[in-house]
Amino acid sequence: MKMRRALLIFSILLSAIHPALAIGEDEAKPIQVLFVGNSLTYVGNLPAVLQHIAAANHRTIETDMIVRGGATLTERVDDGSVERALQAKHYDYLILQERGGDALGAFGEVSQKQVHSALQALSRIATTHKVKAISLGGYQPSQRMTSVLLEAERAIAAQAAIEYVDVQTSFMAGKNQHPNAEWLYADKGHPGHDLILLEAVLIFQHLFGLLPETNALVVNAPMYKPNSSFTSPAPTSLHTLTPDMAMSHHYSQQQLAAIVRIAQTQVE
């Protein structure tokens, strides 16, 4: 009896010092992440790359997607799909990626204004469901566009009161340091495998406050292409596999080490 009482007191004291060490708490509970975006999100399977990086670093992330090629966040607000997904399942993070160029007005002034209102609406939905929303930045291949893009994306995220992951700064640093890396897909518009890895590392760093270990990584998941098709959200998107789709991708230790060094420049 005295031993049980002593253990109980020790447990209470320990949990007061470090709540994550409280006896009975499930430390292995997966972190649930919902990605909402378009082909910039699914080409090369960014959610799966993040999952595998987390697993290689003794953390468990489970991901779902609501995606369609060319989709905007405004469409996701209008069809109510994000709201339904958050009602159907608890997520810890909602990662939002807008259509490329929308923040800069590439599709016109109306679309540019819709970026602001959509992100604010999704921020409110996330808050209602106690989910942390994160705006994943885009990228432009030109250095002269960097300051304009960053200013626009930061302002949009600030107005929506959500966190922001800057991709452009590391992307440009990576292109300068490793010009022959696979930064872009064959069409020169969608992300290539190295840019996808960089985005996953930046998200991992944002979620956990540290950079991943630099070991070789095999991502055992479909490597979606720009023309890959997905079902309508019910409540999330499901993919359609095709015979020509690669079902895994290997990142070497050298690739991961280079990407981590690039991401580290944002910390220093």
Side-chain angles (χ1 to χ4, degrees), residues 19-200:
L21 297 177
I23 292 176
E25 183 169 339
D26 183 10
E27 295 183 62
K29 184 178 179 181
I31 294 173
Q32 302 291 339
V33 180
L34 176 62
F35 283 81
V36 178
N38 44 69
S39 56
L40 299 182
T41 312
Y42 66 71
V43 168
N45 207 336
L46 171 60
V49 177
L50 175 63
Q51 276 186 253
H52 282 72
I53 288 177
N57 287 267
H58 317 293
R59 289 164 173 80
T60 305
I61 290 179
E62 294 179 356
T63 62
D64 290 311
M65 290 191 288
I66 296 178
V67 292
R68 183 181 61 78
T72 65
L73 295 180
T74 298
E75 292 171 352
R76 300 288 73 84
V77 174
D78 292 344
D79 67 11
S81 55
V82 175
E83 178 83 60
R84 290 194 299 273
L86 298 186
Q87 289 173 344
K89 177 180 175 179
H90 170 71
Y91 289 95
D92 299 291
Y93 294 96
L94 175 65
I95 297 182
L96 306 166
Q97 190 167 33
E98 187 56 273
R99 181 175 59 179
D102 264 330
L104 297 176
F107 298 91
E109 185 178 345
V110 173
S111 294
Q112 188 177 27
K113 289 181 178 179
Q114 288 177 337
V115 175
H116 292 255
S117 56
L119 212 58
Q120 290 172 29
L122 291 170
S123 174
R124 289 192 295 269
I125 292 170
T127 300
T128 299
H129 292 278
K130 297 181 170 58
V131 180
K132 180 170 288 188
I134 298 172
S135 176
L136 178 62
Y139 56 90
Q140 292 290 324
S142 171
Q143 179 66 54
R144 66 182 178 84
M145 295 300 296
T146 294
S147 60
V148 179
L149 178 63
L150 292 180
E151 182 179 357
E153 290 182 338
R154 285 171 176 156
I156 294 168
Q159 289 174 3
I162 68 173
E163 298 177 7
Y164 165 66
V165 174
D166 166 16
V167 173
Q168 177 70 7
T169 299
S170 293
F171 172 53
M172 294 310 302
K175 282 188 63 182
N176 291 334
Q177 295 174 32
H178 304 278
N180 296 322
E182 193 178 348
W183 295 115
L184 297 175
Y185 193 77
D187 62 9
K188 302 304 180 185
H190 288 91
H193 284 296
D194 288 306
L195 179 51
I196 295 159
L197 181 62
L198 175 61
E199 290 177 329

Side-chain angles (χ1 to χ4, degrees), residues 44 49 52 182 193-194 197 215-221 223 246-256:
V49 177
H52 282 72
E182 193 178 348
H193 284 296
D194 288 306
L197 181 62
N215 300 317
L217 183 73
V218 178
V219 179
N220 292 306
M223 294 291 112
M247 294 304 294
S248 66
H249 186 78
H250 175 265
Y251 290 102
S252 69
Q253 187 276 332
Q254 291 81 6
Q255 278 179 291
L256 194 52

Side-chain angles (χ1 to χ4, degrees), residues 206-246:
H206 192 87
L207 298 185
F208 300 107
L210 74 165
L211 291 164
E213 298 175 2
T214 55
N215 300 317
L217 183 73
V218 178
V219 179
N220 292 306
M223 294 291 112
Y224 303 119
K225 299 181 177 184
N227 62 352
S228 293
S229 60
F230 294 81
T231 63
S232 297
T236 56
S237 303
L238 301 176
H239 59 256
T240 301
L241 299 179
T242 57
D244 62 339
M245 186 182 295

